[in-house]
Amino acid sequence: MAAAAADYAVECFICTESEPRPHRSACLCTDRYMHTDCFVKMLKAQKGAPKCGVCGALYEDVGWRTKRVPQFISPCGAVVLLACSAIALTGCATTPSFDAPRFAPFQPDLRAYAERQREQMGIPGVWIALLEVDPETGTEHLWADHLGEPVHSDPSRHRQQVVATHRVASISKLLTDTAAMALVEQGALDLDEPIQTYLPDFAPEDPYGVPITLRLLMGHRAGLVREPPVGHYFDPGEPSLAATVRSLNRTKLVHKPGTEFKYSNPGVGVVGEVVSRVTAKPFESAVRELVLDPLGLRDSDFAPRGDLVARQAAGIMWTYDGREIPTPSWRFGYVPAAELRSTTVDLVRFARSWFPGAACRVLSPEVQASMWAPPNGASRGCALGFFLSSLDGHRKVAHGGAVYGFASTLAALPEQGLAVAVVCTKDFANDVAEAIADRALRAALANRRGETLAPPASAAAMPSIDPPFSGVPG
């Protein structure tokens, strides 16, 4: 390993501070640096042999160097890396600003609306990111903010709090389904081929004799159970993705494939296992190469990267009687369905790739649009991963996430060039997150017309945290 570098100011990708402490270069998987003491702490937190907290590779296998020279970077990723390099060379602040003057007319109203709900519902923190790309000029406006309890005790680090990471639960499914569709577009997968073509050992009890396909799995119409026998929402054992998918062979289909909608976490786990098998790579690596890297989403990963875990906001549990209980942190076996860790900024940047005129994208506009077509010509409901609805006459595509300590939503009006991500650090607060997201989208539309929204509804009409408990979150 390389010796510690000189003692001068450089941002540490673990603690995000820029103090002039001894630092060293990171693993080959990143071009960032880390303080030596942060590196030591990360090593102590690792189980077994020392591994990189970013990519998981053994240090003796990957080696070290002081400057990364990528062998391949997508056009989109190149822009991101060049921008970061320019910041480092010029000595500018490394934490970007997310103040969009375009949104200034309605920011106070939106902040007040979100803060009112945060206080009423006892939510520690609310994160918002709003992105607008002008459909005519392509001009981009990005605003992000954080309300509530600070992630860091130092108020001067508010900018860094804005890009705290979160477990975004089932929003993960959109990236997994996008990775699968990228392989479909490459000709490596077929949406309508029986799943056994890719997973020969996949054999849940099937009394119907109708093939299960990727299309049915992504649309939650395959008839699989809501939760698998192992790796489920209440299983702290953290089994592998392969073991979780294999456990489905002990289950029976709950309805004939293609006839009904039934949400299934392990169903998208199966999609992720197919992606892994076809690419001959761990799922986390495959989705990184197919989706995250091409879009420059450097603050997102399905793997428990040390730097992202260190920046994660603290979420709390909702309880019927108001008791305080520890927030579980175990990983689910269906990693592709629920284990993305990300920021609200990265989420809206992912959504930006869905816009019809997006220059930086993973899927062609035609393939992307095919993911927004619910079965039987419906205009609402679940399509290929996305949930379709309408907001004031505009097509809305979205997905929410619910996991221990976090409630999130990612929504977009693609034709309008608008996307919003909201995270609340209290589970079961999804109605709150969605209400804030909808008001943000409506405010942006009104602002485009030179108008402002009417005052929010009365307290009696505000969303609440009162889960029906028809099933576990997803």
Side-chain angles (χ1 to χ4, degrees):
M1 297 183 186
D7 187 4
Y8 60 90
V10 61
E11 184 184 26
C12 171
F13 79 87
I14 297 178
C15 72
T16 71
E17 295 179 351
S18 299
E19 296 179 7
R21 310 203 312 259
H23 69 277
R24 66 187 309 134
S25 60
C27 171
L28 296 177
C29 68
T30 179
D31 61 348
R32 291 173 288 183
Y33 294 83
M34 55 185 166
H35 292 129
T36 303
D37 56 338
C38 292
F39 163 72
V40 173
K41 291 178 183 178
M42 185 178 71
L43 276 186
K44 290 181 179 179
Q46 297 285 344
K47 297 179 180 179
K51 297 180 180 180
C52 171
V54 178
C55 69
L58 294 175
Y59 285 125
E60 56 263 36
D61 292 340
V62 298
W64 294 78
R65 57 183 171 187
T66 58
K67 186 177 182 181
R68 179 184 184 223
V69 182
Q71 296 182 9
F72 172 78
I73 305 176
S74 72
C76 307
V79 172
V80 173
L81 291 179
L82 286 173
C84 293
S85 299
I87 289 172
L89 290 172
T90 59
C92 299
T94 53
T95 304
S97 172
F98 301 113
D99 289 330
R102 179 177 179 83
F103 301 147
F106 64 82
Q107 284 176 359
D109 169 83
L110 187 57
R111 283 194 183 99
Y113 180 81
E115 180 62 17
R116 174 183 171 187
Q117 299 206 42
R118 188 192 71 79
E119 290 182 350
Q120 287 183 350
M121 306 304 172
I123 300 170
V126 173
W127 276 257
I128 310 169
L130 178 64
L131 174 74
E132 177 179 7
V133 177
D134 190 301
E136 295 183 1
T137 67
T139 304
E140 181 178 306
H141 309 275
L142 173 61
W143 171 63
D145 204 357
H146 158 246
L147 305 172
E149 296 180 6
V151 178
H152 303 293
S153 58
D154 182 358
S156 67
R157 298 184 65 186
H158 177 74
R159 291 281 181 217
Q160 295 168 335
Q161 292 176 168
V162 169
V163 288
T165 60
H166 314 276
R167 295 182 74 182
V168 297
S170 286
I171 293 175
S172 306
K173 294 176 172 68
L174 295 182
L175 287 92
T176 296
D177 292 339
T178 297
M181 292 301 287
L183 293 173
V184 169
E185 194 161 17
Q186 294 172 17
L189 290 177
D190 187 324
L191 283 178
D192 300 308
E193 188 74 15
I195 205 68
Q196 285 78 9
T197 300
Y198 311 109
L199 301 179
D201 51 346
F202 182 72
E205 184 179 345
D206 177 12
Y208 306 103
V210 176
I212 292 176
T213 65
L214 284 170
R215 186 185 302 278
L216 296 179
L217 289 166
M218 293 163 67
H220 299 280
R221 295 170 62 83
L224 292 181
V225 292
R226 178 66 165 76
E227 292 291 307
V230 304
H232 52 75
Y233 198 78
F234 302 105
D235 180 4
E238 300 189 347
S240 67
L241 172 60
T244 301
V245 171
R246 192 163 50 247
S247 76
L248 291 173
N249 291 347
R250 292 151 41 193
T251 68
K252 181 179 179 179
L253 299 189
V254 296
H255 64 71
K256 183 178 179 180
T259 60
E260 297 181 38
F261 171 85
K262 181 174 178 58
Y263 196 81
S264 174
N265 279 319
V268 180
V270 174
V271 175
E273 180 68 0
V274 168
V275 169
S276 177
R277 295 274 188 100
V278 169
T279 60
K281 297 176 181 177
F283 168 76
E284 294 88 344
S285 298
V287 75
R288 194 180 300 129
E289 294 181 13
L290 290 166
V291 180
L292 299 177
D293 286 351
L295 296 179
L297 306 181
R298 302 180 66 194
D299 287 334
S300 303
D301 214 307
F302 281 84
R305 277 171 38 188
D307 61 323
L308 300 186
V309 172
R311 288 166 47 194
Q312 181 174 303
I316 65 172
M317 301 291 287
W318 181 94
T319 58
Y320 274 108
D321 55 9
R323 286 181 301 163
E324 293 185 5
I325 60 176
T327 302
S329 60
W330 60 71
R331 283 166 61 82
F332 308 126
Y334 39 72
V335 167
E339 283 299 338
L340 179 69
R341 184 174 280 104
S342 187
T343 66
T344 54
V345 170
D346 259 14
L347 289 178
V348 294
R349 286 174 172 163
F350 170 50
R352 176 181 58 189
S353 72
W354 310 340
F355 298 169
C360 185
R361 59 189 316 120
V362 172
L363 305 176
S364 68
E366 296 76 18
V367 172
Q368 185 71 65
S370 73
M371 299 183 72
W372 303 333
N376 305 317
S379 59
R380 303 175 66 90
C382 184
L384 295 182
F386 290 85
F387 284 86
L388 275 289
S389 61
S390 177
L391 182 76
D392 300 342
H394 303 290
R395 177 166 64 173
K396 176 183 172 183
V397 298
H399 208 300
V403 68
Y404 301 122
F406 296 91
S408 54
T409 189
L410 174 60
L413 309 179
E415 288 77 15
Q416 300 303 313
L418 288 169
V420 63
V422 178
V423 175
C424 299
T425 49
K426 189 173 188 177
D427 62 341
F428 288 120
N430 289 81
D431 284 352
V432 175
E434 291 171 12
I436 295 171
D438 282 352
R439 187 160 185 86
L441 292 173
R442 288 191 168 103
L445 289 170
N447 187 60
R448 189 179 288 179
R449 300 189 302 267
E451 303 171 0
T452 57
L453 293 180
S458 64
M462 300 291 274
S464 62
I465 302 178
D466 188 15
F469 253 103
S470 58
V472 299

